[in-house]
Amino acid sequence: MEDSLSNMYRNSFNGLPTIREPVQMTSAYSSVLPSYGTKRDVGKALLQTLGAPSNAIRDRKAPDQWNAALNMHVRLSDKDKNKAETQRDASNRLIKELDQKTKSKQAEINRRLQDRITTVAYWKQRLNTEHAAICQEITNLSMSKKKTQQALASTELPTEVSHNCLKNRENREAIDLVQDLVDDELINELNMLSEVQKLLATRIGDSDQRLKNLNDCKSKLEYDIRDKEECLRLDEHCYKLNNGSAGLQQVAQPTLYDGHTTTVDKHESFSQDNLEKSEIARVMSCLQRELNDFSINKSNDELQKQSELVGSMFRLRLKELTTAKTNLDGQLEKTNQEISCVEDSLHQLREALRSKDGPMKVATTRFAVRSKRPNVEQTRDYVHGGLLSEINDISGSQEALKQQIASAEETLHRLLKNKERLQQDIEIKKKSIQIDEQQCLRLRKTLSWRGFRPAGM
């Protein structure tokens, strides 16, 4: 614009006519000013005398040009003023629009911050709830594991008792050292205890793995909760900031605006994954606790049934042993009675045999005395025949008695042997009864099968 005005002024000045007529000087100035011959020359000389600049004397403007220039300046001034007013109005409108936009944007950011705080607080609440649940589940599973360990430890005494029962029953003697139902059930009990110990040890190992998973999930939840607490603290601080807050400063680091790589979806999916993994770990832990309880209860029931079966076998065996001993005692009593009777019979037979000595002596003496009769008096008379018959009868009686005595003595010997066997068998039965009743059953009474089930179950 300044260039166009300069050109316009230059053109207006260049359009003025050049004064070439000589100026006549009056007498008053003739002595002072040199004579130029024209009026313009006189003016020039006067300007030079007054020290006017050289360009001022180069061109002169006409009044109409002056008026035109003045009007042009007025018009330009009005135009610039109007333009300035328009620009000022536009600036005011722009200031108001930008101010309103800034306030609206700041209000929008505040609303978004409030929404974000609400969202993060919601996720934090869910994480806290899940964290409390998983902490409780860790406690529950730890208690279940402890109960399982107690149950496993409770199998040590029954195992030792069963081994001792088998060991004690090895002290039975002779025919009583038999592989009976008691031995079979004791062996079954030991096998069952071994299987239960393996099962409970497996349950304890599985519980350890579940506890490890729970603790891993708990750690992830704690890390996520700490991050969200820090996020809430920062966002709440940002939400409380306003244009009049102290400590505000303009941050001009572009990296601050480019470093956020996690999207909202990734943020929510991260927490959702942590929650889902934690829930799955809790569900698996609940199943593990149910398995532990089921294994303990099932094992307890089976072992209790087996223990009752072993006790029944012991009582049945003791009844058999007691009955056998009672029968043997009865047989021994009968044998003793029979031995006494045989001994009495032997005594009678011996007395009877001794009683035949007198008649035999009398008969033989008579026969010997009559054999001394002289000559023809040696007659085989009836007395002679009678003596021979008597001697033969007495001799036969003695032989019969001797045979009967020998038979009775043999019978007595067999009875005594049988008595000895009965006594030995009775002692064996007594020892077997003492082993089963005093050593085994009394030992098994120390077992409290309810104690296998830990307290609180």
Side-chain angles (χ1 to χ4, degrees), residues 141 201-211 288 291-292:
L141 185 57
T202 301
R203 294 288 180 257
I204 292 172
D206 294 341
S207 298
D208 287 333
Q209 184 62 36
R210 298 301 178 197
L211 281 172
Q288 184 62 50
L291 280 176
N292 292 347

Side-chain angles (χ1 to χ4, degrees), residues 82-329:
N82 294 332
K83 185 176 182 180
E85 290 177 353
T86 302
Q87 184 178 9
R88 187 174 67 252
D89 293 338
S91 298
N92 291 332
R93 287 194 303 272
L94 179 62
I95 290 172
K96 291 180 180 179
E97 289 176 0
L98 294 179
D99 184 60
Q100 184 63 31
K101 182 178 181 181
T102 301
K103 290 180 179 179
S104 300
K105 194 66 177 179
Q106 194 174 68
E108 176 68 16
I109 294 300
N110 287 338
R111 186 185 62 80
R112 292 186 179 184
L113 274 173
Q114 182 63 43
D115 292 342
R116 189 58 185 164
I117 289 171
T118 303
T119 301
V120 174
Y122 164 76
W123 284 106
K124 177 177 174 291
Q125 179 62 34
R126 287 190 61 186
L127 291 170
N128 283 331
T129 303
E130 183 62 28
H131 181 266
I134 203 169
C135 287
Q136 183 62 43
E137 184 58 33
I138 289 173
T139 301
N140 295 339
L141 185 57
S142 298
M143 292 177 61
S144 177
K145 175 189 171 184
K146 184 178 180 180
K147 292 176 183 177
T148 309
Q149 290 174 332
Q150 291 175 351
L152 178 60
S154 299
T155 61
E156 295 178 359
L157 181 59
T159 302
E160 182 179 357
V161 168
S162 298
H163 275 297
N164 289 336
C165 287
L166 284 174
K167 183 178 179 181
N168 291 335
R169 297 193 93 236
E170 289 298 317
N171 294 326
R172 294 174 297 168
E173 296 177 351
I175 192 61
D176 277 11
L177 187 59
V178 62
Q179 183 74 28
D180 54 9
L181 293 177
V182 177
D183 285 345
D184 294 340
E185 295 304 329
L186 282 172
I187 292 172
N188 290 336
E189 186 176 57
L190 283 174
N191 293 333
M192 188 178 296
L193 283 166
S194 177
E195 294 298 324
V196 167
Q197 288 171 346
K198 291 178 182 179
L199 176 62
L200 294 180
T202 301
R203 294 288 180 257
I204 292 172
D206 294 341
S207 298
D208 287 333
Q209 184 62 36
R210 298 301 178 197
L211 281 172
K212 181 179 180 298
N213 294 338
L214 288 174
N215 285 317
D216 290 343
C217 292
K218 176 175 173 285
S219 298
K220 292 180 180 179
L221 289 175
E222 290 173 347
Y223 291 147
D224 201 356
I225 290 171
R226 283 198 295 269
D227 290 345
K228 283 179 172 50
E229 287 176 347
E230 181 66 14
C231 177
L232 282 175
R233 185 185 68 82
L234 296 175
D235 282 352
E236 287 173 354
H237 174 71
C238 292
Y239 181 74
K240 293 176 182 179
L241 291 178
N242 53 56
N243 297 332
S245 299
L248 297 178
Q249 58 181 354
Q250 185 172 355
V251 180
Q253 296 180 8
T255 56
L256 292 178
Y257 309 108
D258 300 333
H260 301 80
T261 57
T262 302
T263 63
V264 174
D265 292 339
K266 287 183 179 179
H267 172 270
E268 294 184 355
S269 64
F270 176 78
S271 297
Q272 185 64 34
D273 289 343
N274 288 336
L275 290 172
E276 290 178 355
K277 289 178 181 178
S278 178
E279 290 173 357
I280 291 173
R282 284 195 298 110
V283 170
M284 297 304 293
S285 177
C286 290
L287 293 176
Q288 184 62 50
R289 286 192 290 111
E290 291 178 0
L291 280 176
N292 292 347
D293 293 342
F294 176 78
S295 299
I296 291 173
N297 295 332
K298 185 67 175 178
S299 300
N300 178 74
D301 294 340
E302 293 297 329
L303 288 174
Q304 189 168 3
K305 290 179 182 179
Q306 182 63 27
S307 176
E308 292 173 355
L309 181 59
V310 172
S312 299
M313 292 299 103
F314 264 114
R315 289 188 291 273
L316 180 61
R317 186 58 179 165
L318 278 172
K319 184 178 180 180
E320 292 176 352
L321 288 172
T322 303
T323 302
K325 178 180 174 298
T326 300
N327 292 334
L328 290 174
D329 288 336

Side-chain angles (χ1 to χ4, degrees), residues 20 24 31 46 61 90 92 124 155 163-164 197 263 287 341 352 360 377 408 427 439 441:
R20 298 184 182 273
Q24 296 294 327
S31 59
L46 180 59
K61 305 295 189 247
N92 291 332
K124 177 177 174 291
T155 61
H163 275 297
N164 289 336
Q197 288 171 346
T263 63
L287 293 176
C341 293
M360 177 60 77
E377 294 299 326
E427 291 300 321
Q439 297 181 12
L441 276 182

